[in-house]
Amino acid sequence: MYTAFFGLKENPFNLTPDPRYLYLSRYHREALDHLLYGINERKGFIAITGGVGTGKTTLCRALLNRVDQTTKSALIFSSFLSDLELLRAINQEFGIEKGSGEGTKKECIDALNRFLLETFRKGGNALLLIDEAQNLTHNLLEQIRMLSNLETEKEKLIQIILVGQSELKTLLASPSLRQLSDRITVRYNLRPLDSNDIRGYVEHRLSIAGGAGAVHFTDGAFKKIYVYSAGNPRRINAVCDRALLIAYSGEKHTVSKAIITKAVHDLYGESEMAPIAGMGNLRKNLFVAVMVLLIAAAGLAAWNFRDDISGILHHSGSNSKMNPTHPGADAVMLDRKASLAGLLELFFSNPEKNNVSSDQEDIRLSSIHLDPEYFPMLKRPFIVNVASRRGA
């Protein structure tokens, strides 16, 4: 709709995984290097994980454009298959012709093995890539592991790449899949873009679409894109696509910070914008909430031990010197000797709670500077050294 206005040949921010638009950030380049290394060195198993929308599928398609012609590939993009359906899909992707009676699992595996041996004899390699692998059942993953047993005495006949969301890491860590996990020698977790990658990502896609100079994003716009997207390529595409539509409607060739803000609001609304844009405030609010809970817990603990504390203060205070500048302060302002005596008495009054034995001798005293708001985080009795306003 807006492509002609901006002099574009096509939509630069489509959500389809077009390998031409792959922007090789540091993380995407590292992931691609891991993949190529695992394939060329015949490592057998490779696992690539990452969050939703980080560009895993686009990366996989770009990989297939970079492998040499001697590498035969099979792509499985649907992971909701039965054991037999998966084997048939693999053979079909490799172009293995259906022979008579190739309907059972054994017949499918035998046909695959013959294909792999012939490919290896000709100096080629075979690559099986399974996307959305986090949806695979344990039985399917175990069957895939068995496929890796198709090998010669020195080389793996098939290189298997498992690509999935972060849940795949948890799945592979389960005890029942330990044998499979041990065979994965190349792993990489794909991260979102850094803030300094946003400009390069957007301009790269505009350039591929044929309109690098026809539309301009301001510095403020790039900063807002990162705040709202957190570096997620899919979110960046969605926001930029809507921003270009807004700019087109206003007959503007410059995408400003205000346009990006409106685009995000149009896409996600206030309820969806807050968790992304307000991430810093969320952390602050969470910290305040935790500190309030800690202070409340400390107050409750002090109330439960009020009799013990009162007794220690009264007993120690009677033996301490009166503070001449604060009459009556001996009830709370103790000298160092009395404070230490009270601290040890309170510490050993409940040995089970403080995890000490009555004959424990290794008692150490540490002095640190700590702001009062952090006092509730201490897990042991402590002394507070209060100085006068004149620094005494």
Side-chain angles (χ1 to χ4, degrees):
M1 183 176 182
Y2 55 70
T3 52
F5 178 77
F6 292 114
L8 301 171
K9 298 177 182 177
E10 57 192 25
N11 187 337
F13 299 108
N14 262 330
L15 298 181
T16 54
D18 189 337
R20 294 179 303 137
Y21 284 93
L22 176 66
Y23 175 73
L24 288 177
S25 70
R26 174 164 65 95
Y27 306 120
H28 289 78
R29 186 180 301 277
E30 288 177 356
L32 187 59
D33 288 342
H34 277 69
L35 288 167
L36 291 172
Y37 167 77
I39 295 169
N40 294 331
E41 296 298 320
R42 295 181 180 270
K43 291 298 183 179
F45 266 110
I46 307 167
I48 300 294
T49 56
V52 176
T54 50
K56 299 184 297 299
T57 302
T58 305
L59 182 69
C60 291
R61 292 185 181 274
L63 169 69
L64 298 178
N65 292 338
R66 284 170 166 79
V67 296
D68 55 54
Q69 295 181 350
T70 62
T71 300
K72 307 297 183 181
S73 61
L75 279 71
I76 305 298
F77 289 104
S78 176
S79 51
F80 294 103
L81 300 170
S82 67
D83 296 4
L84 184 56
E85 287 173 339
L86 177 62
L87 289 173
R88 287 174 175 173
I90 293 173
N91 287 1
Q92 182 178 354
E93 285 292 314
F94 275 129
I96 300 174
E97 295 182 1
K98 294 182 180 180
S100 58
E102 291 182 3
T104 67
K105 290 172 59 174
K106 181 181 182 304
E107 289 169 339
C108 288
I109 293 175
D110 289 343
L112 176 60
N113 190 42
R114 289 193 296 270
F115 167 80
L116 296 177
L117 287 171
E118 180 64 17
T119 301
F120 179 77
R121 187 184 65 80
K122 294 179 179 179
N125 202 350
L127 169 63
L128 170 60
L129 193 154
I130 302 178
D131 201 3
E132 301 294 340
Q134 76 278 354
N135 297 323
L136 294 172
T137 64
H138 283 219
N139 289 337
L140 281 178
L141 286 169
E142 182 62 17
Q143 178 170 276
I144 292 170
R145 181 185 71 82
M146 297 301 292
L147 292 181
S148 67
N149 291 334
L150 302 176
E151 57 189 0
T152 67
E153 294 180 354
K154 296 182 179 180
E155 300 284 356
K156 294 287 186 182
L157 292 177
I158 184 170
Q159 318 309 313
I160 302 173
I161 301 177
L162 300 177
V163 181
Q165 297 172 21
S166 301
E167 294 85 351
L168 178 60
K169 291 190 294 183
T170 304
L171 180 62
L172 294 174
S174 59
S176 61
L177 294 174
R178 181 177 178 180
Q179 292 188 66
L180 171 60
S181 183
D182 289 344
R183 296 193 184 194
I184 301 175
T185 56
V186 180
R187 300 171 187 256
Y188 192 84
N189 186 58
L190 187 60
R191 296 173 55 184
L193 303 178
D194 288 334
S195 58
N196 54 5
D197 285 323
I198 303 301
R199 179 189 296 272
Y201 178 87
V202 171
E203 292 180 349
H204 170 74
R205 295 189 73 97
L206 288 172
S207 177
I208 296 299
V215 59
H216 173 69
F217 283 70
T218 65
D219 291 341
F222 286 125
K223 291 178 181 178
K224 277 294 182 181
I225 291 171
Y226 179 72
V227 170
Y228 292 132
S229 69
N232 184 287
R234 185 175 298 173
R235 290 191 193 135
I236 296 173
N237 288 354
V239 170
C240 288
D241 180 65
R242 181 54 63 96
L244 289 182
L245 180 60
I246 294 172
Y248 162 74
S249 299
E251 297 185 351
K252 299 177 180 179
H253 283 83
T254 297
V255 177
S256 64
K257 173 182 175 181
I259 290 178
I260 295 296
T261 302
K262 187 178 187 309
V264 173
H265 184 272
D266 290 349
L267 286 172
Y268 304 115
E270 293 291 346
S271 61
E272 290 294 333
M273 187 168 60
I276 303 174
M279 193 66 72
N281 291 333
L282 179 61
R283 291 194 184 100
K284 292 179 182 178
N285 294 337
L286 181 60
F287 175 78
V288 172
V290 170
M291 291 306 301
V292 169
L293 290 174
L294 289 173
I295 293 172
L300 180 60
W303 176 258
N304 291 335
F305 289 100
R306 62 189 183 280
D307 294 335
D308 294 336
I309 296 173
S310 177
I312 292 173
L313 291 175
H314 178 74
H315 173 73
S316 301
S318 63
N319 297 326
S320 65
K321 296 180 180 180
M322 179 75 72
N323 188 326
T325 60
H326 296 280
D330 59 326
V332 291
M333 305 295 288
L334 310 179
D335 59 27
R336 184 174 181 83
K337 182 177 180 180
S339 298
L340 288 173
L343 182 67
L344 291 173
E345 182 177 348
L346 180 61
F347 185 74
F348 285 109
S349 64
N350 194 344
E352 295 182 356
K353 179 178 179 181
N354 292 310
N355 297 320
V356 298
S357 59
S358 58
D359 59 349
Q360 184 173 357
E361 298 180 356
D362 186 16
I363 304 297
R364 301 182 184 183
L365 181 66
S366 299
S367 177
I368 60 174
H369 175 75
L370 200 64
D371 292 330
E373 59 264 31
Y374 296 102
F375 288 174
M377 300 176 67
L378 299 175
K379 301 299 184 181
R380 295 289 185 269
F382 59 93
I383 298 174
V384 178
N385 184 24
V386 181
S388 68
R389 293 183 179 179
R390 288 180 291 183

